[in-house]
Amino acid sequence: AETAREPAPAPERAAEAPAVAALPAGGPGSPRGGPASFEIVFETNSSYFPKGTTQNLRSFLQTLPASGTIRVEITAAVAGADVREAGGQGGLRYNRWLAERRVGRLTDWLKENAGDRRFDIVTRYQDNDPSRRVRLAVAGGG
């Protein structure tokens, strides 16, 4: 007797990664917060913050200096083209557009919630990275 094969789980569901991870390198007790980073793993085909992100971003913001200019680097993953798609170019354009929207949402949120802080933001894109991650890294000093 032959058994029916179950479809393989979708890659985005196979590995359940935490939606948000705040990684303050200097720790909350550091005088200026030290270099710190914050990572968001977005849902597939979405640029909206996953549940809990806003609350975690607010907590992360509290580890940063309350005023002044803070240099921030935002790096977004850009998945490669889907090889099943003719030529793959449509997939590349879509994936880049989605990464840009994710960066835009994070940038807008930072500006709206900056308080007395000013952010000097540098944006980078990590090509051929299907992780759906956007990482915010804060430079030391301020």
Side-chain angles (χ1 to χ4, degrees):
E2 221 173 283
T3 58
R5 291 175 35 177
E6 283 188 43
E12 64 274 4
R13 301 285 183 224
E16 291 294 326
V20 180
L23 312 164
S30 298
R32 295 193 52 96
S37 64
F38 188 89
E39 185 174 276
I40 303 169
V41 178
F42 286 83
E43 294 292 323
T44 301
N45 295 322
S46 176
S47 65
Y48 293 99
F49 288 158
K51 184 177 181 178
T53 301
T54 301
Q55 179 182 348
N56 290 334
L57 274 169
R58 281 196 174 95
S59 295
F60 175 75
L61 216 56
Q62 295 304 310
T63 68
L64 303 178
S67 63
T69 300
I70 301 169
R71 183 171 170 81
V72 171
E73 183 175 300
I74 298 176
T75 305
V78 181
D82 186 339
V83 294
R84 294 170 292 179
E85 189 175 327
Q89 292 305 308
L92 284 174
R93 280 192 301 271
Y94 173 76
N95 292 336
R96 176 63 182 230
W97 172 82
L98 190 56
E100 290 170 355
R101 285 188 49 97
R102 290 169 175 166
V103 166
R105 288 201 193 277
L106 181 55
T107 299
D108 290 347
W109 189 92
L110 287 171
K111 289 177 182 176
E112 290 169 10
N113 293 277
D116 290 334
R117 302 171 187 92
R118 288 178 309 284
F119 290 102
D120 175 17
I121 299 173
V122 175
T123 303
R124 303 193 189 289
Y125 294 92
Q126 181 66 44
D127 291 331
N128 298 312
D129 180 351
S131 69
R132 304 181 320 272
R133 294 174 195 208
V134 174
R135 184 172 188 268
L136 177 147
V138 178

